[in-house]
Amino acid sequence: MNENPTFNQELTQGTVTRILWEKVSGLQLEELLYGLLDAMGANRLVWRAGSTSGITASDGGRDLEAVFDRPGPDGELDRQTWWTECKGRSSTVERGAVQQAVLDASARAELDVLVVATNSRFSNPTRDWVDERTRAFARPMVRLWDRDQLDRLVQRYPTVAARYLPNSLSDEERLRMLVMRFQELGEEPTALDLQFFWKRRDWLTVLESSLLSEAVAMFLYAEGIQIPRQRPWWQLLTEPDTPAALVTALVNLPSWLGKADMARPLESMRVWAASSRILNASLLLLPEDLAAPLTCDIWEFVTGGEEIKEDSQQLQLWHDSVLIPALAFARNDLLEPCAQDCSRVTADSPHEVNSLGGVEVWDLLVAGGQKEPDSFLVIESLGEPCTVGADVSDGCPLVVSNKVTPENIVQSLQRVLKFRKETPDGAADKNRPDSGGGVIFTVLENHGMAWRSNRHGDEAG
């Protein structure tokens, strides 16, 4: 159950880079080469600079020297010394620059490989000259790395480009890099990243559903537990995105939570906050006949309908450790604002006290917060109806102490959300007298993840 069915496939196929090479400066090119050589396993990597500033007069940039130790056929280490010349150009690299680099390198007997790298390209005559020289001289071996070769290397080591060329990536590639670093390392997007992509939210909505959903999950995680007021990312999802969004919320994001070897392991409560908000957004968009089957049987969708009964133990583990916590947090998000105009339920605020009214919360949640996860009290007057018309024969469906099936929880969540979309200010008279029938006192803790309740005064005792 730790598989990521959408992103692992992308990693296997390789990330398609769209680096804007014409925007890469000479210094950025050198730093990128430094990162690539380091990622390739260089044991010793130094700037081969001609001055204290690190800038040489001959090519306007710094060169790099790297040493690689690789196992030979006999198990002994074979040492290779590489010298890298960086040629930042806005047009094709002139042949004379490559010839001079080769001439300088040839004077060093210990040098094995010379790499001439550019953000541009090399002319055919230049490549022909290098081929002729290689046939005549075995050392140093000369390799020409143009933008096409650098693209291939960046595909193998994508986080290097994200670190050294953030402003030279296309918006989509920058987003893919952020998602990959979040998935693999637990590294969150910065406040500047959040601002950058929120301003481009119209562009985000036209992305493929899997990338959009993973980006929304990452951004919601970064926003934290409180309902984000300025950037309700779930609003970017549309009905065609809902299958991929639910896979992200209920499969992928929890699987990232389970990666204990992350440099920055994810926090469980923030995962449930992000998952539940994607879940509620999807329920608002889905037809009623698809909501419960797709949510509660998401693994059938992931596997394409293949038989998975033999994985019953893992499915039960997913049910207990993923689905139930996500549904609990989703109900917790809706409970307090729904109770504000309900004659049946009275609830303390799990959101920030005196900061958000019911209409404001509904506007955030269904068009598009939280205080610390302390306990709060819910009181149900059993003789009163539900404002949204839900079945309350076993108690309010938003109170997690009720022992109902996940399918019933999903149906209740969807009913509340769709009612509030049309009637965000409610319809009940909160001040009318209690008609009797007893009460249920429920204490919710840790954002609805734990609870205890007592029932008093009704016929059942």
Side-chain angles (χ1 to χ4, degrees):
M1 287 292 180
N2 283 334
E3 291 299 319
N4 180 333
T6 58
F7 221 91
N8 280 350
Q9 185 177 9
E10 286 188 16
L11 289 174
T12 301
Q13 295 174 346
T15 302
V16 179
T17 59
R18 295 178 180 83
I19 293 177
L20 308 178
W21 289 106
E22 63 275 8
K23 293 186 178 181
V24 176
S25 68
L27 179 59
Q28 285 179 312
L29 178 64
E30 294 158 9
E31 291 175 338
L32 174 67
L33 264 294
Y34 185 96
L36 287 173
L37 292 169
D38 183 51
M40 291 165 62
N43 296 329
R44 184 168 62 87
L45 184 58
V46 296
W47 297 112
R48 187 182 56 80
S51 67
T52 56
S53 66
I55 304 297
T56 60
S58 61
D59 60 7
R62 295 172 292 180
D63 301 321
L64 299 167
E65 190 173 296
V67 174
F68 291 91
D69 290 326
R70 303 288 169 81
D74 58 357
E76 297 293 326
L77 293 179
D78 293 334
R79 172 161 291 188
Q80 280 193 339
T81 300
W82 289 35
W83 190 351
T84 302
E85 287 273 0
C86 302
K87 303 296 182 183
R89 296 290 192 272
S90 58
S91 57
T92 302
V93 178
E94 61 275 20
R95 185 171 73 173
V98 175
Q99 290 174 325
Q100 185 61 50
V102 174
L103 180 63
D104 293 342
S106 299
R108 298 189 55 179
E110 76 280 10
L111 192 62
D112 297 295
V113 177
L114 169 67
V115 174
V116 184
T118 182
N119 60 321
S120 180
R121 288 192 168 86
F122 300 98
S123 66
N124 287 332
T126 300
R127 292 185 179 278
D128 292 341
W129 180 85
V130 169
D131 289 342
E132 291 176 5
R133 187 205 172 279
T134 300
R135 286 192 288 270
F137 302 95
R139 298 177 69 252
M141 180 184 299
V142 180
R143 300 182 180 180
L144 300 180
W145 288 1
D146 63 4
R147 62 170 61 181
D148 297 325
Q149 175 64 17
L150 291 177
D151 263 337
R152 288 189 284 271
L153 290 173
V154 167
Q155 288 178 30
R156 291 175 57 191
Y157 308 104
T159 58
V160 174
R163 185 180 305 120
Y164 293 107
L165 301 178
N167 295 326
S168 300
L169 301 177
S170 68
D171 287 353
E172 181 173 343
E173 187 62 17
R174 177 176 174 179
L175 182 65
R176 289 185 181 275
M177 296 297 184
L178 287 173
V179 171
M180 182 177 291
R181 291 178 71 82
F182 176 66
Q183 175 199 353
E184 293 298 315
L185 305 175
E187 183 176 296
E188 299 175 40
T190 67
L192 291 177
D193 290 323
L194 294 172
Q195 294 172 12
F196 178 88
F197 283 106
W198 184 249
K199 290 180 180 178
R200 288 158 177 77
R201 56 190 179 276
D202 289 341
W203 168 78
L204 286 170
T205 60
V206 302
L207 293 174
E208 60 181 354
S209 293
S210 60
L211 178 58
L212 172 61
S213 300
E214 288 168 338
V216 167
M218 174 184 67
F219 292 142
L220 284 173
Y221 179 89
E223 297 282 7
I225 293 176
Q226 295 180 0
I227 296 176
R229 307 184 201 180
Q230 301 301 318
R231 294 183 291 258
W233 296 96
W234 55 83
Q235 292 183 6
L236 306 183
L237 301 171
T238 61
E239 184 175 346
D241 301 317
T242 51
L246 287 173
V247 170
T248 297
L250 299 176
V251 178
N252 294 346
L253 185 54
S255 77
W256 303 341
L257 173 62
K259 296 175 68 172
D261 58 344
M262 271 188 174
R264 299 170 185 168
L266 302 186
E267 300 173 20
S268 60
M269 203 57 66
R270 292 170 66 187
V271 166
W272 304 133
S275 293
S276 70
R277 282 150 198 170
I278 294 175
L279 172 59
N280 279 337
S282 299
L283 295 180
L284 187 63
L285 296 167
L286 281 169
E288 293 182 6
D289 60 333
L290 292 180
L294 188 57
T295 302
C296 301
D297 297 320
I298 191 66
W299 276 103
E300 183 174 350
F301 174 79
V302 170
T303 60
E306 296 179 3
E307 184 65 44
I308 54 174
K309 288 183 179 179
E310 61 271 19
D311 296 326
S312 58
Q313 289 185 338
Q314 290 194 354
L315 286 174
Q316 186 63 45
L317 178 62
W318 170 80
H319 174 278
D320 296 341
S321 62
V322 175
L323 181 61
I324 296 304
L327 290 175
F329 204 108
R331 297 205 287 188
N332 190 77
D333 255 3
L334 305 190
L335 175 59
E336 187 272 333
C338 194
Q340 287 189 14
D341 65 3
C342 180
S343 61
R344 177 184 176 87
V345 173
T346 300
D348 288 341
S349 175
H351 301 285
E352 297 168 275
V353 179
N354 298 325
S355 60
L356 291 178
V359 175
E360 294 174 291
V361 175
W362 292 125
D363 183 58
L364 279 173
L365 286 172
V366 303
Q370 294 276 35
K371 65 176 181 180
E372 291 300 318
D374 299 325
S375 62
F376 63 99
L377 177 67
V378 181
I379 303 173
E380 292 186 64
S381 300
L382 298 181
E384 295 299 322
C386 171
T387 296
V388 303
D391 180 5
V392 292
S393 56
D394 293 321
C396 173
L398 295 183
V399 181
V400 299
S401 59
N402 299 319
K403 292 179 171 53
V404 294
T405 65
E407 288 79 7
N408 287 338
I409 296 173
V410 168
Q411 291 168 0
S412 299
L413 289 171
Q414 188 177 47
R415 180 164 192 151
V416 169
L417 288 162
K418 294 200 171 185
F419 175 87
R420 292 300 182 176
K421 182 177 182 179
E422 299 177 1
T423 319
D425 56 350
D429 181 3
K430 187 76 171 177
N431 298 317
R432 68 182 176 182
D434 190 343
S435 62
V439 294
I440 299 177
F441 296 98
T442 302
V443 176
L444 298 178
E445 298 174 338
N446 210 20
H447 297 286
M449 302 297 168
W451 64 89
R452 57 185 185 275
S453 65
N454 290 292
R455 188 164 181 161
H456 298 281
D458 61 324
E459 297 81 357

